[in-house]
Amino acid sequence: MNLLGPTMDHDDDAVENDSPEFSIERDACPNLWPFCAYSLHPPILMSKFEGVLVSDHWLQSQFTQVQLRNLKSKFIASKNQNGEITSTDLPVLLAKLKPFSEMFKEDEIGDLLSKSGLDMSNGIDFETFLRAYLNLHSQAAAKLGNSNNSSSFLKATTTTLLHTIDESEKESYVAHINSYLRDDPFMKQFLPIDPATNALFELARDGVLLCKLINVAVPNTIDERAINTKRVLNPWERNENHTLCLNSAKAIGCTVVNIGNQDLVEGRPHLVLGLISQIIKIQLLADLNLRKTPQLVELVEDNNDVEELMGLAPEKVLLKWMNFHLKKAGYKKPVTNFSSDLKDGEAYAYLLNVLAPEHCSPATLDTKDPTERANLVLEHAEKMDCKRYLAPKDIVDGSTNLNLAFVAQIFHQRNGLSTDNKKISYAEMMTDDEEMSRDERCFRLWINSLGISSYVNNLFEDVRNGWTLLEVVDKVSPGSVNWKHATKPPIKMPFRKVENCNQVIKIGKQLKFSLVNVAGNDFVQGNKKLILAFLWQLMRFNMLQLLKNLRSRSSQGKEITDADILKWANKKVKNTGRMSQMESFKDKSLSNGIFFLELLSAVEPRVVNWNLVTKGESEEEKKLNATYIISIARKLGCSIFLLPEDIMEVNQKMILMLTASIMYWSLLQSTDDSESSPSSVAATPEASPAPSVNGDEGSEFSMGAEITNLSIDDSASDTTVSSIHENNDTILQ
């Protein structure tokens, strides 16, 4: 079974599979994520709650909503001038979809479809297309058989027939939830969950459980005042909870690109369990870094290796920690995975004996039966007060996810590392200052939300080979990368890394980034300030392009500037009759959060509960407001990565991104919901909406009002943007 995190396969044209291994993979769906994920895909909005419906319930059950939207988009785009798809068009359409394009020619697909028994005499409707897709998938799987390519094929296809639920994992995750949420004031009425039933998936359908679990993994990620908590939620409230959940999951590092709100509302077991497993993994591995556990520096012999340690994924650090103790215990075989290397239980026996010798039993190593040894290992661990994440059978079977959880629990309970003050001091010196650390976190999470094949664990280490940056650049500016001149990792020759990074710089200059005296080698050397400055410009460019593309639906698609975003926000608040204004994105008055709460209320009156808003006079009040702002913005549909401190300290980069994400959401609502009536939005009893003045509610839902009336003042833009570019230039020159 794959580890709980992201997969490493990348295929823009594929409709990727929600793997039977519970990983939630990326998708090329054009209707998936909101603007501030900064991908090039428009968001799921509340108005799109119904999803893609198929009259045949069995057929609909074979696909996730994300996959249905993706296939629907491709189906519609392939219609001929008469708005139809004929039986001769179908093989052409299917041949363009990967991985079919790599396995079949058009005539082969035509032959297979002719033998399938599908009725295509009256043209091809969407359901016939879906059946043809599933049929071709089964033919492809049969063709591959047990070949080495079969697994990669299955990861790139849509059928859910292969989705199975590992009951041991389900039982383990249920036990985790019962343990950590048993005292929660709201959740305790539903706990304990019985792992033998489907109660877990039923309980997850209203979104509250998943939001609460995210806060267990990374405390204070979600302001719980923003969660809709009632015993019975209406569809809009449930949808809001899932939007908040998915955007918050991305904000802690989960990969959720192939899952939509409707999938959670339906309680699809493999997707719900996959998301839960990622959240729990993040919780269990949270301390496996030098910032949280500086004692980890003991794992390296030479101080020069500390940077390498910092660049390792948490799972790799955990393996390194385990092997460190096994070596001391005299265990000869290195452990390289959480599956086959742990099946006989010997490594566990040695590890626990060295960490807790007081509970050591010779019988653990003397027994020849792996199941008996596994049972003795778990008894030893229980004496150390370790939570039991697995059963003896799971060790013998080599369950990757449960073994990882168990080893992480042992680490938390007793890591056995020294408290050498000199080494710890050195490790603390190697960590970044707070602001740089926040920026690193923001850009890392943003990159991981884009759905590229690489996954970034440590920004400054993982971008040094240039490949990840090329993937991000190509995502932001499609077609800009010359992949023939790029080298994919692992890269042994240093000059190949420089070549990759030089191409990144070249493209940056073509996009008119400020890159004075910057060379590819600066990235290879890990120059942190230059890396952050480049990524900021890339993120900002992506955001402005998204706004430009959206506005081009109703106008000529002029460039959007920072000044336009500022002007839009001020006008939006002013139209509600409120007096707050933002002078710039570094206006210190923004620290109390009131302006952003008024802006959010202006774009969606029901989203802000003004009874929960403070005056923002003290630091504590400012933090309450800032936390609330972030959660209700995510609840609307903004996938943002800033922290409350960014609002409190008025970090102008993050303030710009927050404002732009709200703007994008509002403009997209105005465009997509032009035929909707405001009365169609269900009211939330808990929310006390700000009063509407000057007839603003009419303009809120006007087709092109906000977009076409958005004036462009280039001179004003230059003045406003200059302060931001000055910061970049100061860093870059």
Side-chain angles (χ1 to χ4, degrees), residues 140-160:
K143 180 178 179 180
L144 285 170
N146 295 322
S147 71
N148 293 333
N149 294 324
S150 59
S151 62
S152 62
F153 170 77
L154 292 175
K155 286 181 180 178
T157 55
T158 66
T159 181
T160 60

Side-chain angles (χ1 to χ4, degrees), residues 337-353:
N337 57 65
F338 293 102
S339 181
S340 58
D341 288 355
L342 300 177
K343 283 185 175 182
D344 61 11
E346 285 189 10
Y348 276 133
Y350 276 91
L351 177 66
L352 296 179
N353 285 349

Side-chain angles (χ1 to χ4, degrees), residues 24 124 197 665:
I24 302 177
I124 309 298
T197 69
W665 186 88

Side-chain angles (χ1 to χ4, degrees), residues 230-350:
K230 295 188 302 184
R231 286 196 67 93
V232 180
L233 298 177
N234 66 43
W236 295 106
E237 293 165 335
R238 189 181 296 119
N239 193 57
E240 284 180 332
N241 280 349
H242 288 309
T243 303
L244 174 60
C245 162
L246 290 174
N247 285 323
S248 299
K250 284 190 289 182
I252 65 170
C254 293
T255 302
V256 293
V257 188
N258 200 30
I259 185 171
N261 291 17
Q262 186 66 14
D263 297 318
L264 296 181
V265 170
E266 294 172 3
R268 289 176 175 265
H270 63 285
L271 294 178
V272 171
L273 204 63
L275 181 55
I276 289 173
S277 66
Q278 288 195 78
I279 295 169
I280 292 175
K281 173 190 171 184
I282 286 170
Q283 176 188 345
L284 294 175
L285 300 182
D287 292 341
L288 281 151
N289 59 76
L290 285 178
R291 179 177 286 275
K292 294 283 187 69
T293 312
Q295 296 94 326
L296 286 168
V297 74
E298 188 180 354
L299 302 184
V300 296
E301 297 178 0
D302 191 331
N303 287 342
N304 295 329
D305 295 331
V306 174
E307 284 194 15
E308 180 185 347
L309 179 66
M310 292 172 65
L312 291 178
E315 302 93 319
K316 299 293 185 183
V317 175
L318 193 60
L319 283 173
K320 195 174 185 69
W321 167 81
M322 190 174 188
N323 283 309
F324 172 80
H325 285 300
L326 290 176
K327 185 178 179 181
K328 288 200 300 185
Y331 189 67
K332 302 299 182 183
K333 297 180 290 186
V335 174
T336 60
N337 57 65
F338 293 102
S339 181
S340 58
D341 288 355
L342 300 177
K343 283 185 175 182
D344 61 11
E346 285 189 10
Y348 276 133
Y350 276 91

Side-chain angles (χ1 to χ4, degrees), residues 9-10 12 26-27 257 446-453 475:
D9 293 327
H10 181 120
D12 282 335
R26 64 174 298 279
D27 194 281
V257 188
W446 169 63
I447 289 172
N448 288 336
S449 77
L450 294 177
I452 63 174
S453 62
K475 193 75 175 179

Side-chain angles (χ1 to χ4, degrees), residues 119 189 429:
D119 181 8
Q189 62 185 310
M429 283 191 333

